[in-house]
Amino acid sequence: MTNRYDHRRGKTDPPRKNDFRSNKKHRILKRRRFALSVLVLLILIITGAIGIYSISTHIMDNYDDAEEFNEFVTDHRDAAELPQCFSSNTDKIQYGDKLSTAVRLPKTRNAAVNNAMSAMSASMISGFEKKYAKSEKAALMVDYEGYMTDDVYGIAVHKDIFEEKDDEMVIVDSQVFTRSFVKKSGRETGGTALLKDGYKDQLSQDILDALTDEYGDNLSSHAKEHVSDTSENLNSFLLADSGAIFYFDEGTVLKKGMGSASVILDMSVIEDFLQDDPADAPVDKNKPMVAITYDDGLNGPLEEELLDCLEENGAVATFFLLGTNVANVSDSENILKRMLKQGCEIGNHSYSHPQLTKLSPKAIREQADKTNDLIEKLSGEVPTLFRAPYGAKNDKVIKTYDMPEIGWSYDSLDWKYRDPKREFNDIKSAGNLDGEVLLFHSIHEPSVEASKLIIPYLRARGYQLVTVSELAEYRYGVTLENGRSYGPDFFDLEDSEKTPEISY
Ligand code: ZN
């Protein structure tokens, strides 16, 4: 086979001297390719597009050792020229005789973003190694585009997989994943979480128009489907200062073999569709979500540990607190304020943990008020929910308390087992947890240890960890009402057998 890549060094290597010459030729070719890609890029900039970068690198030089693989990686990245606004990266380049990987992802000041990136990296590498275990030679290449607005980090992760074909490396899989994070909290946002309701029809049309302008005859006959309001393809977009960038995987809006596509809608166009305050919109209705609840606090140090873990994972939880325990912790004011600052929700779990069904309305009222007053005095905010101790409630309790009463749909039985591994394994085998309310207790050390396994695990599985009120609003479309009880019958989705699996 003759082509411009025949300078390549193979197993029948020419002597070293020729190597040098062919390397030089290689560089010249690279320069020409570079000049060409600059030209292409200029055209794209002028016409307002960002994408089709992968076309120029669909077929690349082979490599036979670590050094050549490094060159391969550099060539691929140079050709793509993805804009990266973050100051530092993690970059893992690993050459292997059969499988090689090069994963470059951003590093930010936010631990939650960095943790999400490293979980993504691990998942991409293990997924690749599994899928291509039998391949003679394949390479996973991951690189990213980064954007920042005042409120949000936007990261588009480009994944290309090369496999050896006719002694060349050819792209066999090309995908783009977008991830957005609220800067302040590290909570993941993005996709439709950033859009106002009712955006779909007009936005789809605007995107289709922009794609048509951009790609013309290269649009596939299915393009409309992939930007229509019935699909969820609009989820793949990022916010930049200049506008919103929408990404489409290979084989969707463009004809086969044309690579992935992206199109930018100017801020003046997208503005009307965006939430007013992106930092306040960290939940995406179209992605799975679960609410972890912790009863019986405060303990003090244990909630601090939990808050650290939640913060590092861009997660929030709901704490159902006992008045008497709040009163007994010397630092309670700071802990309560930290909970609210991180976006957690505080609920009332009575003052002294009595069986409320056995109390008079007056005594029930006292349990409610004393706890609410104390928490308001310390934190500045009144609890929004309540949970009856032992789950013991009846109409009298629910009406007298006059707050939304929250049960649970998954009981960890953590108070009984006190075994982090068991609690973790139970979660792993629990099936789909989308829409569920999980019950734990923040006063037991093993529950906190279990949470340190469970929280990153759920995040890596693609669950958004939300408060109970967020779960009600975004998953069930309901604003919780005073004097009503929400139990396992409420927090239950039909058709939720399958565990969501994120495959990057
Ligand atoms: Zn309790």
Side-chain angles (χ1 to χ4, degrees), residues 295-296 322 349 353 389-390 441:
D295 285 8
D296 295 357
L322 282 176
H349 192 43
H353 215 271
Y390 316 103
H441 295 79

Side-chain angles (χ1 to χ4, degrees), residues 130-197:
K130 218 162 146 189
K131 194 170 172 194
Y132 290 86
K134 286 181 181 156
S135 173
E136 275 306 307
K137 193 172 193 175
L140 166 72
M141 308 285 283
V142 177
D143 204 6
Y144 74 94
E145 285 170 65
Y147 300 93
M148 251 193 261
T149 68
D150 289 344
D151 302 310
V152 181
Y153 291 119
I155 302 162
V157 179
H158 293 256
K159 179 181 98 170
D160 292 319
I161 292 174
F162 286 85
E163 232 184 339
E164 188 179 43
K165 290 207 169 124
D166 296 330
D167 206 28
E168 288 183 317
M169 297 305 287
V170 178
I171 289 190
V172 290
D173 186 10
S174 177
Q175 283 170 281
V176 191
F177 306 95
T178 57
R179 310 274 308 257
S180 299
F181 299 87
V182 176
K183 263 189 190 172
K184 249 189 230 155
S185 62
R187 293 185 75 182
E188 193 149 5
T189 178
T192 44
L194 292 170
L195 298 173
K196 282 179 187 160
D197 282 343

Side-chain angles (χ1 to χ4, degrees), residues 216-477:
D217 289 345
N218 290 326
L219 279 195
S220 81
S221 51
H222 307 290
K224 201 175 173 180
E225 273 167 48
H226 287 280
V227 290
S228 77
D229 54 356
T230 51
S231 71
E232 277 161 19
N233 292 296
L234 297 188
N235 263 328
S236 262
F237 86 93
L238 293 180
L239 223 46
D241 277 331
S242 54
I245 309 160
F246 291 81
Y247 295 85
F248 298 92
D249 281 337
E250 166 140 52
T252 57
V253 297
L254 296 189
K255 285 177 180 161
K256 244 190 153 182
M258 296 294 300
S260 53
S262 61
V263 72
I264 184 160
L265 288 194
D266 197 78
M267 197 42 95
S268 61
V269 177
I270 190 78
E271 229 165 23
D272 295 342
F273 304 107
L274 288 177
Q275 296 276 9
D276 298 329
D277 187 358
D280 273 348
V283 183
D284 189 338
K285 278 185 235 182
N286 293 321
K287 290 182 182 155
M289 63 187 85
V290 60
I292 307 188
T293 63
Y294 293 100
D295 285 8
D296 295 357
L298 289 178
N299 163 278
L302 290 182
E303 282 87 6
E304 294 267 29
E305 276 186 57
L306 280 174
L307 287 166
D308 287 344
C309 177
L310 291 165
E311 193 172 31
E312 285 160 15
N313 288 282
V316 295
T318 302
F319 293 89
F320 288 98
L321 303 178
L322 282 176
T324 169
N325 283 352
V326 172
N328 283 336
V329 169
S330 58
D331 203 20
S332 55
E333 182 177 336
N334 287 333
I335 299 171
L336 297 184
K337 283 183 174 160
R338 184 179 168 194
M339 284 174 176
L340 295 173
K341 196 173 164 228
Q342 280 186 215
C344 291
E345 188 164 23
I346 296 176
N348 177 323
H349 192 43
S350 82
Y351 197 83
S352 56
H353 215 271
Q355 195 158 331
L356 295 171
T357 46
K358 293 184 175 163
L359 300 186
S360 69
K362 187 170 170 264
I364 293 170
R365 201 56 250 159
E366 211 177 278
Q367 289 283 331
D369 290 344
K370 246 177 115 180
T371 308
N372 281 345
D373 291 349
L374 178 64
I375 290 172
E376 186 186 13
K377 197 183 90 195
L378 293 167
S379 74
E381 286 190 36
V382 187
T384 42
L385 316 164
F386 101 95
R387 175 174 281 162
Y390 316 103
K393 67 213 160 193
N394 54 22
D395 267 4
K396 176 184 71 178
V397 171
I398 293 161
K399 296 287 176 220
T400 310
Y401 235 88
D402 200 27
M403 296 169 80
E405 197 278 331
I406 306 299
W408 56 86
S409 57
Y410 175 94
D411 190 349
S412 68
L413 297 173
D414 59 338
W415 56 272
K416 189 164 143 194
Y417 300 135
R418 315 266 177 124
D419 178 355
K421 268 194 190 141
R422 176 170 186 155
E423 290 165 38
F424 183 37
N425 286 332
D426 285 351
I427 285 283
K428 285 202 277 188
S429 55
N432 192 344
L433 293 168
D434 186 19
E436 307 260 345
V437 174
L438 317 184
L439 170 62
F440 287 86
H441 295 79
S442 62
I443 49 164
H444 305 305
E445 175 89 52
S447 307
V448 175
E449 292 308 314
S451 296
K452 290 179 188 170
L453 301 170
I454 290 165
I455 291 167
Y457 170 81
L458 291 174
R459 289 289 296 119
R461 302 292 289 194
Y463 287 103
Q464 307 172 86
L465 298 193
V466 300
T467 64
V468 169
S469 289
E470 286 171 341
L471 186 73
E473 179 182 347
Y474 292 102
R475 176 49 78 239
Y476 298 97

